[in-house]
Amino acid sequence: MVAQILFLVITLAAIALFTFNFRKIIRNIRLGKSVDRSDQPQKRLMTMLRVAFGQSKMVVRPIPAFLHFFVYIGFVIINIEVLEIMIDGLFGTHRIFNGLGGLYNFLIGSFEILALTVWVSCVIFLIRRNVLKLRRFKGVEMTNWPKSDANYILIVEILLMSAFLLMNAADAKLQILGANHYTVAGSFPVSQYLMNLLPSNESALVMIERGCWWFHIIGILAFLNYLPYSKHFHILFAFPNTYFSNLEPKGEFTNMASVTNEVKAMLDPSFVPAETEAGKFGAKDATDLTWVNLMNAYTCTECGRCTSVCPANITGKLLSPRKIMMDTRDRIDEIGKNIEKNGPEHQDGKALLDDYITREEIWACTSCNACVEACPVNIDPLQIITELRRYAVMEESQAPASINAMLGNIENNQAPWKYSPADRFNWANEK
Amino acid sequence: MEFKVPTMAELMAAGEEPEILFWVGCAGSYDERAQKITRDICKILHHVGIKYAVLGTEEGCTGDPAKRAGNEFLFQMQAMTNIEVLNAYNIKKIVTGCPHCFNTIKNEYPGLGGTYEVIHHTQLIQDLINEGKLKAEGGESFKGKKITYHDPCYLGRGNGIYEAPRKALEVLDAQLVEMKRCKSNGLCCGAGGAQMFKEPEKGKKDINVERIDEALETNPQFIAAGCPFCMTMLSDGVKLKDKEQEVKVLDIAEITVRANGL
């Protein structure tokens, strides 16, 4: 009975804490500007099913795709087992789904095999990160915290899977011993090999079984609460992020309605502008971005596929699309904390542009869309870069001198170079 | 040129409408290397007998480099001016010689009142081959020659057009070799996003050199391009590597013209 109450208290506390932190993140995302992504629900659903559920963009790199698939499937399916653990914990039962008979044995057997594949995958991931030191996991933005974050996640997953398998091994051994309360249930294709490592003493086995059971479930609840602080949020946000992702051709940049009004009024004095959101042009701070940009930032799991295909980054420039996303998240988190401390009107005198992302970075972008194409969860760093450029050019008139010269040429000569418009058709005079 | 390139103004005066408008673009109008491609696209249009026209001096920058650089004002000024001209001529279909013009007119003009059917010249060439109007005979033979095609970002990733340029090359019976990074994974030449008009940021290598190194790994005789900016970047790269004698950078329109002896 004490155990049941303790379980209930821990579970409720964990869920409450997660909800509290999750709502803060939703609030932060809502600090972004509005953008309508309610069109074409069917196409959006298909995109989500294909990209998030189907992992379609992962297959470009087969080895990590294969390993990640196991961890993903393991995460989704082993959660069925968590449901049983929850019920057992609350009602003091043991293996409540046992009544499913053959199906139950099949399920437990599958969970065990999945747990093993998750375990092996995570170990390989750790080796890739820390021993092989792939270029993708390096970079200026991969400072101590992002590196440790990745390792913590992998180590916790390995520990959780170990506890799950060890728990089953102890359970199986207790079942063979005919221990009270341990009804014969489940099949143990993996943990049967761990049984020999365990003592034969019944009370020691019960201790191990219970210990692992508590460790596993508390571990899961702790992991849930680690998500809001880590890069691992993609396990939840991948789904809405792909659903609300851009469906238009990648080459298409948005036309700014606020500019259209002004240009139309300039070309036609009788034009009456439609109501649009007033404000600055482009983005200086994270709150000038759209909520989709901000959700992108929380979805990013820092895998670095974007940066590894970025032509600027490959050739040694400072720009890293992954850093753009990490900076955006860090900044909107900071703004959120400021709001909590000092109220919604507080200004800390800092901004995304210059304090986080430098001019050198935004001007190194070729807008080639390689980063957008590479992202397995449809994050769009290019949109953020474009908004920052818009602010630099339209609000501050601060572009590199050669860019200003090009803009001046278009304005005066209808071409980015200094040629006379009258000469535009001269090409037809030659052979 | 051996024939006169018709302008919209002339057609209008004669009370005629073209089947397609050829949007030349700034590079195609002023850049010496790109002018050759422009004339070759006209040669193809003339050869197959499509009724076409150009805007001539009435054409102005689409605004693409302004938009990518962040100057939305200038972009929309250019766009609305061009749309006014295009709509006044009742233009329905446009072929462009540049993926940047193509992307801008196709995707960004409709929201500002300019809706047209827009294709890139490699798509036109593919269509003409499919319709049997264009073959690869009567000119230089590319049979068995090694060609590698560089995907322009605004044609490939930007608009998902990977097959048309390759179809236009397949007809040559040449040996098409792909670079390691091709199609949706293609590496940018380094010119997009208004980079064409500025010095690159500090780094350890220029992007076009990185791309040319990769292209040269395939040991090509020809590098095929479909964009005047890629053309500049790739040609510069080949020059830098001192490979101008062995490797030619040609636009798909130029290859088509050569293969047909136009």
Side-chain angles (χ1 to χ4, degrees):
Chain A
M1 197 61 198
V2 179
Q4 282 164 257
I5 292 168
L6 188 64
F7 180 83
L8 182 70
V9 170
I10 292 173
T11 307
L12 287 180
I15 291 171
L17 184 61
F18 177 75
T19 311
F20 178 71
N21 281 321
F22 186 69
R23 286 172 68 144
K24 277 191 194 170
I25 285 170
I26 297 297
R27 177 206 62 202
N28 288 354
I29 291 174
R30 285 201 168 143
L31 293 172
K33 298 250 175 302
S34 70
V35 55
D36 185 18
R37 290 280 164 90
S38 63
D39 59 317
Q40 308 178 68
Q42 213 166 356
K43 198 172 172 192
R44 295 195 173 280
L45 189 66
M46 289 314 291
T47 306
M48 182 176 83
L49 290 175
R50 197 179 63 246
V51 179
F53 277 100
Q55 314 255 301
S56 62
K57 289 175 89 178
M58 290 291 290
V59 296
V60 178
R61 296 177 193 233
I63 296 169
F66 191 68
L67 298 171
H68 181 268
F69 183 75
F70 284 130
V71 179
Y72 163 66
I73 286 291
F75 167 74
V76 174
I77 295 181
I78 296 174
N79 273 331
I80 303 174
E81 171 66 7
V82 175
L83 183 69
E84 184 183 46
I85 291 177
M86 284 287 170
I87 297 173
D88 282 346
L90 287 176
F91 299 101
T93 49
H94 186 70
R95 297 193 178 268
I96 183 88
F97 294 159
N98 180 20
L100 296 171
L103 177 65
Y104 185 75
N105 290 351
F106 171 75
L107 281 175
I108 294 293
S110 323
F111 297 155
E112 285 220 334
I113 291 166
L114 280 170
L116 178 67
T117 56
V118 171
W119 195 95
V120 170
S121 301
C122 288
V123 169
I124 297 174
F125 281 148
L126 272 178
I127 293 170
R128 280 165 62 87
R129 275 184 185 269
N130 300 290
V131 182
L132 302 180
K133 301 201 164 143
L134 304 187
R135 184 182 183 270
R136 182 150 70 84
F137 301 125
K138 290 194 260 179
V140 284
E141 67 276 21
M142 297 311 279
T143 49
N144 281 337
W145 165 244
K147 272 190 195 160
S148 314
D149 189 13
N151 286 332
Y152 295 156
I153 292 162
L154 290 170
I155 290 166
V156 167
E157 282 174 18
I158 289 168
L159 289 177
L160 287 177
M161 290 305 114
S162 305
F164 176 70
L165 289 171
L166 217 53
M167 172 186 88
N168 276 357
D171 196 328
K173 208 160 184 173
L174 285 162
Q175 287 179 24
I176 292 168
L177 292 174
N180 189 26
H181 198 66
Y182 289 90
T183 42
V184 177
S187 66
F188 306 98
V190 177
S191 61
Q192 59 179 324
Y193 297 106
L194 298 174
M195 272 161 58
N196 288 336
L197 301 174
L198 300 178
S200 308
N201 176 309
E202 191 178 308
S203 62
L205 281 172
V206 172
M207 278 242 314
I208 292 169
E209 194 274 336
R210 282 294 89 193
C212 286
W213 187 91
W214 280 100
F215 180 84
H216 184 230
I217 190 64
I218 291 175
I220 286 172
L221 294 172
F223 197 55
L224 179 73
N225 277 292
Y226 180 65
L227 289 183
Y229 302 96
S230 90
K231 68 173 193 112
H232 209 50
F233 235 136
H234 79 293
I235 63 171
L236 301 178
F237 271 130
F239 302 99
N241 200 69
T242 47
Y243 183 88
F244 291 113
S245 62
N246 178 31
L247 299 179
E248 305 309 319
K250 290 190 185 69
E252 178 179 342
F253 285 25
T254 52
N255 288 333
M256 294 170 69
S258 50
V259 170
T260 310
N261 278 336
E262 298 209 14
V263 173
K264 278 194 174 157
M266 245 151 81
L267 296 173
D268 173 14
S270 66
F271 173 78
V272 182
E275 282 292 314
T276 49
E277 230 174 295
K280 48 173 129 23
F281 296 115
K284 182 182 195 220
D285 211 346
T287 46
D288 301 325
L289 297 167
T290 70
W291 64 269
V292 173
N293 299 144
L294 299 179
M295 181 170 64
N296 278 182
Y298 280 108
T299 308
C300 177
T301 193
E302 300 162 17
C303 73
R305 281 169 172 75
C306 51
T307 294
S308 73
V309 295
C310 172
N313 191 275
I314 289 169
T315 55
K317 277 83 173 176
L318 201 57
L319 174 63
S320 163
R322 169 171 56 192
K323 178 176 175 292
I324 300 288
M325 301 319 299
M326 290 166 71
D327 284 345
T328 303
R329 176 175 174 167
D330 287 348
R331 176 57 186 157
I332 198 67
D333 257 344
E334 185 176 56
I335 293 172
K337 286 200 183 95
N338 280 340
I339 289 174
E340 283 155 33
K341 252 197 224 151
N342 310 304
E345 299 306 320
H346 176 76
Q347 299 289 332
D348 62 359
K350 292 208 274 179
L352 182 61
L353 184 59
D354 293 334
D355 292 309
Y356 285 81
I357 300 171
T358 61
R359 313 267 165 164
E360 187 179 338
E361 290 164 73
I362 62 170
W363 289 112
C365 174
T366 66
S367 76
C368 75
N369 262 306
C371 55
V372 184
E373 178 75 37
C375 181
V377 289
N378 285 358
I379 291 170
D380 190 341
L382 178 53
Q383 255 183 25
I384 297 176
I385 295 170
T386 305
E387 290 303 324
L388 295 172
R389 280 187 179 187
R390 281 174 171 173
Y391 180 83
V393 170
M394 289 193 282
E395 291 282 347
E396 302 181 309
S397 305
Q398 278 206 32
S402 45
I403 289 285
N404 279 332
M406 177 271 287
L407 296 170
N409 287 332
I410 294 179
E411 219 172 323
N412 300 316
N413 315 324
Q414 317 300 310
W417 299 284
K418 209 166 189 165
Y419 294 112
S420 162
D423 293 339
R424 200 177 176 94
F425 195 31
N426 290 359
W427 57 267
N429 301 332
E430 278 163 67
K431 252 198 134 180
Chain B
M1 295 189 73
E2 286 160 18
F3 54 90
K4 196 180 171 328
V5 178
T7 64
M8 274 311 302
E10 289 160 4
L11 256 69
M12 182 93 152
E16 291 173 42
E17 275 191 3
E19 198 179 313
I20 197 163
L21 173 86
F22 172 28
W23 183 277
V24 179
C26 299
S29 298
Y30 294 112
D31 180 273
E32 263 181 55
R33 181 71 190 80
Q35 283 177 343
K36 287 186 189 160
I37 304 164
T38 304
R39 287 192 286 269
D40 279 356
I41 295 172
C42 288
K43 281 178 196 166
I44 294 168
L45 289 162
H46 183 77
H47 169 71
V48 297
I50 296 180
K51 193 159 186 179
Y52 76 100
V54 298
L55 284 174
T57 52
E58 285 186 282
E59 192 186 273
C61 175
T62 58
D64 164 79
K67 192 175 183 89
R68 307 309 136 187
N71 195 332
E72 183 74 5
F73 272 103
L74 187 53
F75 160 70
Q76 291 202 13
M77 291 287 285
Q78 290 300 118
M80 285 188 206
T81 313
N82 285 324
I83 289 167
E84 213 170 299
V85 174
L86 292 167
N87 287 353
Y89 282 129
N90 197 26
I91 300 297
K92 298 276 184 314
K93 189 172 176 182
I94 298 173
V95 60
T96 73
C98 166
H100 296 266
C101 300
F102 165 77
N103 174 68
T104 306
I105 303 175
K106 177 176 176 282
N107 296 322
E108 291 160 1
Y109 277 21
L112 301 169
T115 307
Y116 321 98
E117 184 191 343
V118 190
I119 57 170
H120 180 251
H121 71 271
T122 57
Q123 292 177 293
L124 176 78
I125 292 170
Q126 186 209 357
D127 287 346
L128 292 171
I129 290 169
N130 289 349
E131 290 164 20
K133 290 181 185 163
L134 206 53
K135 297 187 174 70
E137 2 175 277
E140 186 181 336
S141 170
F142 286 86
K143 195 170 177 197
K145 300 263 171 75
K146 250 187 172 181
I147 306 181
T148 189
Y149 169 67
H150 165 82
D151 286 278
C153 304
Y154 277 84
L155 200 60
R157 270 189 299 274
N159 286 286
I161 296 163
Y162 302 108
E163 286 314 310
R166 288 178 169 79
K167 283 267 154 49
L169 292 171
E170 272 168 24
V171 75
L172 303 169
D173 207 11
Q175 193 189 341
L176 293 186
V177 280
E178 293 289 356
M179 286 180 249
K180 246 186 254 151
R181 288 171 283 196
C182 62
K183 298 181 184 171
S184 63
N185 191 31
L187 183 76
C188 175
C189 71
Q195 295 294 334
M196 183 71 196
F197 307 99
K198 61 182 266 297
E199 286 304 310
E201 271 60 30
K202 189 165 91 277
K204 58 182 200 293
K205 195 176 183 182
D206 280 341
I207 296 173
N208 65 328
V209 178
E210 169 85 8
R211 187 52 165 170
I212 277 300
D213 282 341
E214 189 173 12
L216 293 179
E217 270 173 37
T218 67
N219 271 320
Q221 284 151 294
F222 298 96
I223 299 173
C227 167
F229 299 114
C230 298
M231 173 58 73
T232 302
M233 293 307 229
L234 297 171
S235 305
D236 285 355
V238 170
K239 243 178 259 169
L240 192 87
K241 294 277 158 181
D242 217 7
K243 292 276 182 194
E244 279 172 291
Q245 293 309 312
E246 301 97 305
V247 186
K248 302 271 176 252
V249 187
L250 291 177
D251 190 276
I252 287 180
E254 294 179 298
I255 295 175
T256 307
V257 163
R258 284 191 184 193
N260 287 280
L262 303 179

